[in-house]
Amino acid sequence: MTDNGKQMTTLIRSQHQRTTSPAQDKTDEIRGYYKQGLQQIRGTRNMHPDARRIEIARLYATTQAALKKVQQEQIKADQETFAQLERQLWGYDDVRANAYTSAEKAAVDSTVRDAQDRAAKLKKPDEAARALTSAEQGGDKVLARAIAKRAHDMNWDHVLQGYLDTRPTEAERYQQAGDIYARQHTTAGALTHGFLGALPAPDELRGVSSKDIEAMADPGDTGPTAA
């Protein structure tokens, strides 16, 4: 199992996953406008069939481009958000923010390294659970976080859950990261994400290639006409 696989298997396996993305509502809205526009064009009387096909091609091409844009924006947003969430969950920016002098910063960095080294030496989940309990009782938040990260990487379910149970903010962040991971790494998530940019061609354009649809929608792109 890859490191990425270890990171989110607990959440994917044991909790409900929202594999839909925030972009889903936006694409649903775009498809709604597309459907209305299609009905309007089809219902326009006295329009020549060729003109109707051109109008439908324009509507289809514009809608598909909008859906693709939303899909790409979601990919970028997921990547950026996931990286931010991981830093918030497992980084120590909040701890370092309280260090002002060079000596204080050096002390914090030493404490973090020591905690990470101690956590890395944990080989069994029960051993990690005891170490987490001891860190929690001693108020050692740095060590507790390092142990939770170790549990996260090693897929030690009950240890990680014990850490998150007393930290609602971190639990919410972990859930959000799990949602993103599910969209990126599960079959259901991939299908849902792929659907964001999908738009079946209407009957009027069935059998017409994408290139020809683009040419119909924007004939100016087909090149100069002969004199």
Side-chain angles (χ1 to χ4, degrees), residues 80-95:
E80 293 175 350
T81 301
F82 191 84
Q84 180 183 28
L85 289 168
E86 283 207 309
R87 190 172 183 88
Q88 291 173 335
L89 284 164
W90 313 126
Y92 295 91
D93 290 348
D94 56 334
V95 178

Side-chain angles (χ1 to χ4, degrees), residues 108-123:
V108 169
D109 288 342
S110 177
T111 300
V112 169
R113 286 194 299 270
D114 178 68
Q116 292 173 332
D117 289 343
R118 291 169 65 183
K121 294 176 181 178
L122 299 171
K123 303 301 182 183

Side-chain angles (χ1 to χ4, degrees), residues 73-87 180 184:
E73 288 175 346
Q74 185 60 54
I75 291 174
K76 183 178 179 181
D78 276 350
Q79 292 172 341
E80 293 175 350
T81 301
F82 191 84
Q84 180 183 28
L85 289 168
E86 283 207 309
R87 190 172 183 88
I180 294 173
Q184 295 176 332

